[in-house]
Every structure is written in C-alpha cells, then in structure tokens.
Amino acid sequence: MEPASRSASLTTPAIELRAINKSFGTVQANRDVNLLVQAGSIHGIVGENGAGKSTLMSILYGFYEADSGTILIGDKPVRIASSRDAIAQGIGMVHQHFMLVDSLTVLDNVMLGAEGGALVAKGAARIRGKLAELARDYGLVVDPDALVGDLGVGLQQRVEILKALVRGAQVLILDEPTAVLTPPEADQLFAMLDTLRREGKTVVFITHKLREIMHITDRVSVMRRGEIVLTTETSATSPPALADAMVGRRVLLTVDKTPSRPGPARLEVRDIVVLGDNGVPLVDHVSFTLRGGEITGLAGVAGNGQSELLEALAGIRPIASGEVLIDGKRVDPAALNPKAMRALGVSHIPEDRHRMGLVMSFEASESAILGFHHDPIYGAGPWLSRARVVADLARKMLAYDVRPPLPRLKTANFSGGNQQKIVLAREMERDPGIVLAGQPTRGVDIGAIEFIHKRLVALRDAGKAVLVVSVELDEIMALSDKIIVLCGGKLTGERTPSPDRHEGETLVGELGLLMAGVTDRAA
C-alpha cells in the first residue's frame, strides 16, 4: 500500500483534549492525556489492548465523564456528559460491535432517536432524502428498505456511518473499523473515508493494523498504559517505529520460527460435507490432513466455508457425510459434539469470541472455565470452588499478560484483545493434541499478535497439530508450514510457503487465484 496523500494545510483543531484523567477503581485508564485532532484530517490512534484508546474515545463520545481535564471543540471548552451531548457537538461514533436492530430496515435504524417529532412520516421522508444525498455525495449507497439482518458486515458498518452523518457529525470516531471486514470491504471503507476527508470531515481512526495507519491517516498518536507517548505525522514514521512505541520495546513484525518437522497425522478429514439450513453444501467434499509439528493455514475470502468447516471439526455443526480420524481412529460423525472433541484432545479457539467463546455478563474467571467446568481441579466435592476458579485464572492472566489482571472483573469490561487472551489461555493450557484456531488475532494489538504467534509456534514445536483460519493473508503466509485454500466450500489447492521474497510474491498471486476459485486443475 502507498501512503495516502497528505493535506498541506491541516492547522485548525477540530478536537482538543487537555490533561484527561480517568480511573476505574485502582486502574487508571487515562493519565494526563493531551490530544489535538486537526479538522479535515484522518488521525490514527494505536496502542496495545488496555492502553486506554477506547476509554478516551468513550469520554469524547459521552459514555464516560473524565475525572479531570478539558474537552475543546474548535477552541471552545465543552462538557460532554452523554452521547446526546456528543451528537449535539457534531461528534459521531461507529463502534467495533455495531449497535443496530437486525429486524428493522436501514431507514428504521437510521431514524431511531431522530424520528422528527410526532409526525413520523415527515421524519421518514426527510431521512430518506438525506440518505439519497449522502449516497450521492459520499458513495454511501445502501437500500433504505433492506432489513439490516440481511446485510453483510460491510454494509452494516455503512449504516452505522450513515446514522452518524444523518445526525450532522463533523467528527467521526471509528473503533477498530476493519476488524470484521474482508480486504475488499476494507478498501471500500478507505475510499469512503478519503471522500469524507476531502469534503472537510474529521475522522479519528482506532486500529491495531499498522499498514492501515500508514495507508489512510495524516497523523498518528500512540497510547501506552493510559498515556500518549508519541504523536507524529504519519509520513515521518514507520510500522516498526510505531510498534516499538506501542509496546515500549522492540517488536518482531515477522514470525520467528524454525523449519517444521511434520510428524504423524493427528487429524484426517476425508471427503466431508457440511450442509447449511437450506440443505446446500457449505463445505463440499473436502479432504486434508493435519500433522503433528506442523501449522496448516486455511485461507479464503470470508464466507466460503471456512467458518462452517471449523465449527464442524469442533463438534458444533453436524457433518452430513465423510470421515474424520483422530490419531488414526475413525470418529463417528453422528457422535461429534464439543464435549467429545475436547475429550479427544481437540482445542477450539472460536472465530467469534462474543458469540461462542465467552459470556459477557460472567466474571472473567467464569468465562475462563467454559466447557471445562466439570474438571476436578475446579471442584470442592460436588460443587465448584470459586477460590480455585479465581486462582486458576489469576495464574493464566499472569502467563498471558491479561490486563487488568482481575479474575473477578466482568468479561465485558476487558478490551477485545484481552478477552481473546482469556479464550486462548483456556484453550491452550489444556495440553491439546490438535488446535483449531479461528481468526486467533482478530481485533488484537501488535504486541499481543506477536505473543499469540509465539504460542502457536510453541504448540507446533511441541508436536501438536495446528489449523489456523484467518482472513489476514499475511498472517497465513507468515505462520503456516502448509496452506490450503477454500472457495465456495471446495478445496481449490494447497501451497507451501517459502522464505524467499520473490517466491513469496508469486505465492500471493497464486493464493489469490485459488481464493477466486481458479483451481490447480482449471489452471
């Protein structure tokens, strides 16, 4: 990616935060934060999970009030005590997890909270006209009569942006906006943001992806442990420099691993079929083998059967036909369920930690034993021992650098990356023979990505068989000893990565063709 074109005269402040402090009990989330965002710019904010980015933006959007400090809009001090106050000041926010009602139309969702008084019909006509205007001016095209639940993730995010713009947002805060997008959807988002910038809107862009920062932002601020430790023109920095500032030490942006030493087959998949609710095959006669001491990467554009394959192998989704062998022994597909697979030494890191991996309302210590709550190590006679459960997670939090290290804190109160570490600790610390890792670094900061990659490589080196499903092609290529590709539920090819740069460039092209359905046989 080439850096975005930079505006030469970004001088007017849209937002200024001065000496912002915010604590939650003994944890200080923001410490004397000073931030100036120039009007008509895209300002990136990066930092590790738990660095205080989301807290700072929640203060700006009125979800929290700062313990001390000043917020200025333009050059005028303001008090933002609620999201209504923020909207009145021209600030909109698109959250990582969308706040939409699936059963309502796009128009209904955009209208919520902005109906236009008692005459709802007039309000609907006004907002319909505004949506047409925004589609024309910014390319934000969405069918206003479509049900939100029927839209893809990229279009749902577009609806969230439209909600903010309809309410008159001049400043748009985007929290991890590409965490759930495919690469083409991310490219569409960047094009829209560039248009918004050229039209004078201001964007605050929170992300863990340093290539995105270099590609789309004008300036970038780095947060570490609640403080801003660096603000610079994006053109004056680099991904390694930003990574080092985020973590406070040198960070490896590549995966450090020795050549694999594949051992015996641990998991064999033979001609399996997985059906959707309508009876159409989502996984269509797929076969492959996972060997001990080897990481197999499963690549493909999102929605091509990877999720369903992973769920089937974890025992969550039924297998219509085909065979599964673990350590050479056939497993009856009809008897597969998550409990049975765990008993066979299969560990599953789900793609969607909120939907499958955690219970947000539980304490972290309770989420950390899901599926393993019958283990005798947690018991005191017939009952669970809270002390043992808490102590077990306290140990894992230390080993996995979970912040804050508070086992009894509600799961929902951890950042996304720290929630992911809780899932990883639960699944990896059981000495599994087979690890099924779905999007293991989704929404995770650069330091945690390095940590997770090291853990996966360590499992490989200990003789475990690892399957990594990721939409990040760079991650697949860096981690994998072998890559298989799915398109339309079918296996389209297999490749072996090479450390040679030129061969790597060739491999990217080949994988792209396989992901588009151009099979080896067709080629």
Side-chain angles (χ1 to χ4, degrees), residues 46 210 214 222 224 229-230 232 236-251 253:
V46 296
L210 298 182
M214 301 304 298
V222 179
R224 186 170 74 236
V229 296
L230 175 70
T232 179
T237 189
S238 65
L242 292 174
D244 294 352
M246 287 165 60
V247 181
R249 60 175 175 81
R250 295 299 304 273
V251 177
L253 295 181

Side-chain angles (χ1 to χ4, degrees), residues 347-358:
S347 168
H348 176 222
I349 299 164
E351 290 186 296
D352 187 336
R353 56 180 170 263
H354 286 183
R355 187 168 65 92
M356 287 190 178
L358 301 162

Side-chain angles (χ1 to χ4, degrees), residues 127 132 160 226 286 316 324 371 439 443 448 451 491:
I127 290 177
E160 287 280 26
V286 166
I316 296 168
V324 176
Q439 313 294 345
F451 174 87
L491 198 66

Side-chain angles (χ1 to χ4, degrees), residues 203-214:
V203 178
V204 180
F205 189 89
I206 304 171
T207 183
H208 294 117
K209 300 179 181 179
L210 298 182
R211 288 203 307 164
E212 293 179 355
I213 286 290
M214 301 304 298

Side-chain angles (χ1 to χ4, degrees), residues 184-519:
E185 287 171 334
D187 289 340
Q188 290 178 356
L189 173 66
F190 296 153
M192 283 187 279
L193 295 182
D194 189 47
T195 301
L196 290 169
R197 169 173 52 188
R198 285 189 276 108
E199 294 294 326
K201 305 290 187 186
T202 302
V203 178
V204 180
F205 189 89
I206 304 171
T207 183
H208 294 117
K209 300 179 181 179
L210 298 182
R211 288 203 307 164
E212 293 179 355
I213 286 290
M214 301 304 298
H215 178 59
I216 195 66
T217 66
D218 300 294
R219 288 172 62 80
V220 57
S221 295
V222 179
M223 293 193 72
R224 186 170 74 236
R225 297 186 182 275
E227 300 178 273
I228 287 187
V229 296
L230 175 70
T231 295
T232 179
E233 300 290 330
T234 307
S235 58
T237 189
S238 65
L242 292 174
D244 294 352
M246 287 165 60
V247 181
R249 60 175 175 81
R250 295 299 304 273
V251 177
L252 286 175
L253 295 181
T254 57
V255 178
D256 185 19
K257 61 187 177 75
T258 58
S260 65
R261 300 174 64 184
R266 301 299 304 266
L267 175 67
E268 296 173 78
V269 176
R270 297 178 179 173
D271 209 32
I272 71 166
V273 174
V274 179
L275 303 177
D277 295 337
N278 57 1
V280 174
L282 301 175
V283 178
D284 195 356
H285 297 282
V286 166
S287 302
F288 61 89
T289 298
L290 302 183
R291 298 188 176 279
E294 186 175 67
I295 296 176
T296 300
L298 177 58
V301 177
N304 277 269
Q306 307 96 303
S307 299
E308 292 78 12
L309 175 60
L310 199 67
E311 290 174 8
L313 296 179
I316 296 168
R317 187 179 286 265
I319 295 173
S321 63
E323 287 187 315
V324 176
L325 290 81
I326 295 179
D327 293 325
K329 297 180 181 178
R330 184 181 182 276
V331 180
D332 180 6
L336 286 183
N337 58 63
K339 183 178 180 180
M341 295 306 280
R342 283 194 292 271
L344 291 167
V346 178
S347 168
H348 176 222
I349 299 164
E351 290 186 296
D352 187 336
R353 56 180 170 263
H354 286 183
R355 187 168 65 92
M356 287 190 178
L358 301 162
V359 178
M360 293 295 106
S361 60
F362 280 11
E363 291 181 5
S365 61
E366 296 168 331
S367 280
I369 64 168
L370 292 173
F372 299 100
H373 48 282
H374 293 301
D375 194 310
I377 67 170
Y378 300 128
W383 312 106
L384 279 173
S385 166
R386 181 176 292 276
R388 291 187 188 181
V389 170
V390 169
D392 181 66
L393 182 57
R395 176 185 62 80
K396 290 174 180 173
M397 282 179 152
L398 185 63
Y400 282 73
D401 191 26
V402 178
R403 303 177 195 171
L406 302 173
R408 299 205 60 181
L409 189 66
K410 293 289 186 187
T411 305
N413 291 340
F414 289 87
S415 67
N418 283 297
Q419 291 172 359
Q420 184 74 349
K421 287 181 182 178
I422 292 169
V423 174
L424 292 166
R426 181 184 69 214
E427 300 297 330
M428 289 183 173
E429 291 294 293
R430 293 278 164 174
D431 192 31
I434 300 161
V435 178
L436 309 175
Q439 313 294 345
T441 61
R442 174 176 279 168
V444 171
D445 64 68
I446 196 75
I449 288 172
E450 179 192 39
F451 174 87
I452 292 167
H453 286 172
K454 284 182 176 179
R455 288 278 174 166
L456 291 170
V457 171
L459 287 168
R460 178 203 77 162
D461 292 345
K464 316 301 184 184
V466 182
L467 176 67
V468 174
V469 177
S470 177
V471 295
E472 301 288 348
L473 197 53
D474 287 347
E475 178 170 59
I476 287 286
M477 291 180 60
L479 269 178
S480 305
D481 304 303
K482 177 178 70 179
I483 300 173
I484 56 178
V485 182
L486 276 187
C487 179
K490 295 179 181 290
L491 198 66
T492 53
E494 179 179 314
R495 292 291 184 273
T496 302
S498 166
D500 181 86
R501 184 175 67 85
H502 296 294
E503 288 187 26
E505 291 171 357
T506 301
L507 178 60
V508 170
E510 292 179 1
L511 291 174
L513 289 172
L514 293 172
M515 290 163 68
V518 181
T519 65

